[in-house]
Amino acid sequence: MSGGWESVIPPILAIGLALVTRQVIVALLLGVLVGATLIEGNLFFAFLRVGDQYLLGALANRDHASIILFSTILGGMVGVLSRSGATEGIVHWLSGRVRTRRGGMVSAAVMGTIIFFDDYANTLLVGSTMRPLTDRLKISREKLAYIVDSTAAPVTTVAIISTWVGFEVGLIQDALATLGKSGQAYTYFLRSLPYSYYPLLTIFFVYLTSLTGRDFGPMLNAEKRAVRKGQVLRPGSMPASDAPVISENSTSSSDHKPAHPALAGGPILSVILVTAAGLFFGGRHAALEAGILAPTLRDILNNADSFSVLVWASITGACFAVLLSFLSGRLKLQEALEGYLDGARAMVIAVTILVLAWSLSAVCEELDTAGYLVALSHQVLSARLLPLVVFVLAAAVSFATGTSWGTMAILMPLVFPLGMELPAAAGLSLAVATHIHLATISAVLAGAVFGDHCSPISDTTIMSSLACGSDHVDHVRTQLPYALTVGGVTLLCGYLPVGFGLSPWWSLVLGMACIGLLVWKIGRKPELAPETPGP
């Protein structure tokens, strides 16, 4: 049973239960079980397949194992930094320079923008580094998780150099090859960047709300709770990770002396540098082995193994953290290892959620959920509405499957030729046809990020909750209205008018003006907003 309406039941069930019950692990497990039952036709055998096929398959996947290793080892590094007082040291250093809530939020956004080369590295580094500072400044964990999540994929997907760019350009290159063209993929990608309305407007929204201090909806309630009651977490919440951020219980002799910021900055910087160097040199070596004699930057990114690089970076950072804490006299070797294990153990809940989310994605792939959604969209395809429809379709597939890259891989080969053929068949002018084609390419990438932001089963959404120590469902509940707001503006100001020839630059200006007006009209500062019932 695949490709029919039944194929959307497992993801909808999992997402709905997660939002209603707040029990994301139970919701994901039931979604996998229901999907396996649809495939097997028998509840007993489906129960067995959940274990030996889907859960085991999720763990056996090399890329998945790399992410688990990266997350766990980096969590161990954070544990060492916390035990040694290095986390407290960097917070002490930042506190002398960032004294306000606005400064804390803007600092987190700036860090998320600077670490542009990989969304996983961005999420875990920014979240774990900024969490102790934002806690001290009474910024809710939900707001930090939103800032981290919304400066990860949106920044990475529009960066000139990143792990996403290599993947995106590779998909465009494959689509061009099927049409008998080659050598233009990176140019197409660069030309499509102004049409990346959702990522660009999301980044604008993050900075706008951070600078103005205005929020609305569930996020405003979370911020009022943090400001007025000092509760950065909702009472009764279940954080995705419980790694300590300040070494209050450490037994080291230098507990009460803030460490030099270099003790934390060194390991963090090593992760950044190893990731950047690994992508470049590893990708260059792979390109040369593939027979490319003079690899360009695009060739290097296309051939880089980003998952291996992340593992290299996390191991380097963890070893560096242990070594520095030992050599500086902050910790004995045994204490450093205990700190590492504490940090690694704190990742268990998040890793469990990731494995279940990947299992659900495998179920959706077997049921051909994406194929069913694509088939539905064919009923409303037209030249002028193509970018809008593709954006909505990519968002639906990404939301239901929890994977941005999978969505892009599924849709790009289908919509790339459509973006060329439909405008020509409709007799549109060359200028309008070019707008539509470039906007269609971008809509796949932007829609995948939008759906990813809305979905509680997305790995980057889960990792944002993990890194920031936020309750996962609380993160989804507070982020969803913001993502939908930017998504709605993207449709009305971007992908709808571009089908009628409006320049993407004017669309971006119009979109930013709409977002600015919305935040000004309905946004409130948590210090001044009236009290409302709810968490």
Side-chain angles (χ1 to χ4, degrees), residues 106-116 122 125-126 129-130 207:
V106 172
S107 297
V110 169
M111 281 190 66
T113 306
I114 292 173
I115 306 175
F116 58 84
N122 177 310
L125 284 175
V126 177
T129 302
M130 294 302 299
Y207 277 98

Side-chain angles (χ1 to χ4, degrees), residues 122-463:
N122 177 310
T123 298
L124 291 176
L125 284 175
V126 177
S128 59
T129 302
M130 294 302 299
R131 181 172 60 181
L133 178 65
T134 55
D135 280 359
R136 183 169 295 185
L137 294 172
K138 296 182 180 180
I139 297 169
S140 67
R141 294 279 181 88
E142 293 95 326
K143 186 61 180 286
L144 176 61
Y146 170 71
I147 293 172
V148 168
D149 203 354
S150 297
T151 52
V155 169
T156 308
T157 196
V158 298
I160 304 301
I161 304 170
S162 74
T163 52
W164 279 60
V165 169
F167 182 73
E168 293 167 2
V169 171
L171 292 176
I172 296 173
Q173 185 70 56
D174 291 342
L176 282 167
T178 61
L179 298 175
K181 301 180 179 181
S182 61
Q184 306 171 29
Y186 197 68
T187 303
Y188 266 106
F189 169 74
L190 293 177
R191 291 173 65 196
S192 72
L193 284 181
Y195 302 85
S196 298
Y197 302 120
Y198 181 78
L200 295 173
L201 291 177
T202 294
I203 297 168
F204 174 76
F205 189 94
V206 168
Y207 277 98
L208 182 64
T209 54
S210 298
L211 285 166
T212 62
R214 290 175 173 267
D215 288 291
F216 57 86
M219 189 70 79
L220 177 59
N221 291 334
E223 285 290 88
K224 284 193 295 185
R225 183 197 67 227
V227 171
R228 298 178 182 182
K229 300 180 181 179
Q231 297 172 342
V232 295
L233 282 166
R234 176 181 56 81
S237 63
M238 297 177 62
S241 68
D242 57 359
V245 293
I246 300 296
S247 53
E248 297 172 314
N249 300 317
S250 173
T251 57
S252 84
S253 60
S254 46
D255 278 345
H256 303 296
K257 301 174 184 176
H260 192 280
L263 191 60
I268 293 171
L269 185 61
S270 71
V271 173
I272 296 172
L273 293 178
V274 170
T275 303
L279 287 172
F280 181 80
F281 292 107
R284 187 175 185 278
H285 177 72
L288 291 171
E289 284 197 335
I292 304 174
L293 298 180
T296 62
L297 188 57
R298 186 196 72 198
D299 297 324
I300 290 170
L301 290 171
N302 281 347
N303 286 276
D305 185 351
S306 59
F307 294 105
S308 294
V309 170
L310 290 176
V311 175
W312 303 342
S314 60
I315 292 175
T316 303
C319 291
F320 203 19
V322 171
L323 187 63
L324 283 180
S325 64
F326 175 68
L327 293 178
S328 66
R330 301 287 301 188
L331 293 177
K332 298 176 181 178
L333 184 59
Q334 180 63 30
E335 291 173 338
L337 294 177
E338 288 173 357
Y340 175 85
L341 292 175
D342 286 343
R345 277 194 292 266
M347 301 295 130
V348 170
I349 295 175
V351 167
T352 301
I353 295 172
L354 276 174
V355 171
L356 287 170
W358 289 326
S359 301
L360 183 60
S361 179
V363 166
C364 291
E365 184 178 353
E366 200 162 338
L367 288 170
D368 196 22
T369 303
Y372 173 69
L373 294 173
V374 170
L376 278 181
S377 71
H378 286 168
Q379 303 171 19
V380 291
L381 286 178
S382 71
R384 293 193 184 276
L385 294 179
L386 183 62
L388 183 148
V389 172
V390 169
F391 177 78
V392 173
L393 178 60
V397 173
S398 181
F399 180 82
T401 61
T403 168
S404 298
W405 285 29
T407 299
M408 292 187 283
I410 290 166
L411 294 182
M412 188 62 77
L414 300 174
V415 305
F416 190 94
L418 276 177
M420 297 181 71
E421 295 166 5
L422 280 182
L428 301 179
S429 67
L430 180 60
V432 174
T434 301
H435 277 312
I436 290 173
H437 188 214
L438 293 174
T440 300
I441 295 171
S442 180
V444 175
L445 314 178
V449 175
F450 172 52
D452 184 89
H453 272 176
C454 295
S455 178
I457 62 174
S458 157
D459 52 1
T460 48
T461 305
I462 294 166
M463 291 177 76

